[in-house]
Amino acid sequence: MSDKQASFYKSVERNFDKAAQLTSHPKGLLAQIKACNAIYQMNFPVKIGKNYEVIEAYRVQHSQHRLPTKGGIRFSHLVNQEEVMALATLMTYKCALVDVPFGGAKGGVKVSTREYTAEQLEKITRRYAVELVRKNFIGPGIDVPAPDYGTGSREMAWILDTYQQLNNGELDSAACVTGKPVNQNGIRGRTEATGRGVFYGLREMLSNEADCKEWGISPGIAGKTMVIQGLGNVGSYTGSISIEEGDVKVICVSEIEGSIYSEKGIDIKKLLKYRKQKGSIIGFPGTKRLKERGDWVSVECDILVPAALESQINKSNAKKVKAKIIAEAANGPVTADAEKILLKKGVIIAPDMFLNAGGVTVSYFEWLKNLSHVRYGRIEKRFDQNAYTNIVNLVEDLTGKTISDKRKSFITRGADEVDLVRSGLEETMITAYGSIRDVYKRKKKVEDLRTAAFITAIDKIANDYLTMGVFP
Ligand code: GLU
């Protein structure tokens, strides 16, 4: 295991300790909150072509103070036990922070997805799901996986199908996994959820004039420049939604093949199409290539968005950061050592457990939808629409004025599933930031938003344990 990988878990532990000592909870309780409760490491054979390969995989349940446990499954050749432990741990605090009533978990399968065909990946995914079922590490009330780096709705559909084959007739089985395709019991708005949550979170942070003044940033998200590392699901939606709904200018994008820059701004949707055609972001019209791939770190900008893997901003490159805000769209992209350097420089870090919580928030909505067996908005949409139309007609009658059809249909529209999901997500991000900010402002020794977020989460989990009667 490389230092970088081992230090991810240590970074999370260091951040926890930094916050925990500012709380007044008993030591034993803090130790229980910190510990990873269950670690399942598995090796299983899969026939690939004519040969058998032994696949190494994990599922870690960090905390069962609330059930089910929840967290994505990562497919990457870098997967290792400590990484999955770190990611599972972050899930616990993330869920607590945004009031999603789950414990934290994470899964990892050590495979490089580029080296396998879709059929081979299906075999691996289904076999992994069987292992989880066999050890009781999956189920609507036990542990509910979701997508993460290297996986998406396709893998979730395979997991659901495998689970249902083994649990025939289980009424709530669709809730055993989230992030499913919409036509396979998924929910509208889940795919974009993490990126959209990043946007709502940033917009909220930048909406407070006094805070912005303190940070030396002009208030409001509009017109801010953004650099994005990683054009996967999270990075691409963060970019496109920030451009469309926040009037943000994305000036640099970094991917495996290199980094590109344009002072005028990069259209993320067009860039995605270009990459699909050419297999690379390099050469995208109107952009220039940066000398080194890692140069994205040192681009002058308002918001730097690491949206790929952990430990991308570390001791070796933290000094080069010229951004005012680092927006942790990925999990653990800034190491604890790097954070020290950045805080000294006055860089504001929007912590992962808050900023990328949109994914698990909408997963929670999907889980609720699956348990209630009805699409959001199905029951009330038409009723609301009729009621609003009656009000608008009444206003017209009473005033003698006519409202244009366009305006009328905007006002009278009943909410669809995606409208409700987005509004639930927006509300969640605003409320969560409010609770972090309270701690940040109220507690004297809290010098950064991550510590404030940790304290907020720890207090909630501690309260759960105490009211459970585990720690009298
Ligand atoms: N993998 C995502 C995360 O890190 C989503 C987890 C989920 O939806 O359960 O938050």
Side-chain angles (χ1 to χ4, degrees), residues 59 69-74 87 90-91 94-95 102 105-106 144-149 151 178-179 190 194 234 329-331 352 356-364:
R59 183 75 184 169
T69 52
K70 188 88 190 74
I73 296 170
R74 173 169 296 198
L87 292 164
L90 283 174
M91 285 309 300
K94 194 186 298 186
C95 290
F102 298 145
K106 202 78 166 201
V144 181
D148 196 77
Y149 186 91
T151 59
T178 60
R190 175 63 184 83
T194 311
V234 180
N331 288 308
D352 47 8
N356 73 31
V360 76
T361 300
V362 177
S363 275
Y364 171 46

Side-chain angles (χ1 to χ4, degrees), residues 202-203 205-206 212 215-228 242 246-252 261-263 296-306 313 321-328 342 345-350 355:
L202 284 170
R203 194 188 61 188
M205 281 177 67
L206 289 165
C212 289
W215 297 335
I217 307 167
S218 61
I221 196 161
K224 294 281 181 292
T225 52
M226 184 181 268
V227 170
I228 301 177
S242 298
D247 206 12
V248 161
K249 191 155 82 168
V250 177
I251 55 169
C252 170
Y261 179 89
S262 164
E263 214 180 354
W296 61 273
V297 171
S298 49
V299 172
E300 203 159 316
C301 64
D302 295 310
I303 308 166
L304 185 63
V305 186
I313 303 177
V321 170
K322 291 197 195 89
K324 297 190 179 99
I325 296 178
I326 294 182
E328 292 192 329
L342 294 163
K345 277 162 66 98
V347 178
I348 301 302
I349 302 175
L355 203 67

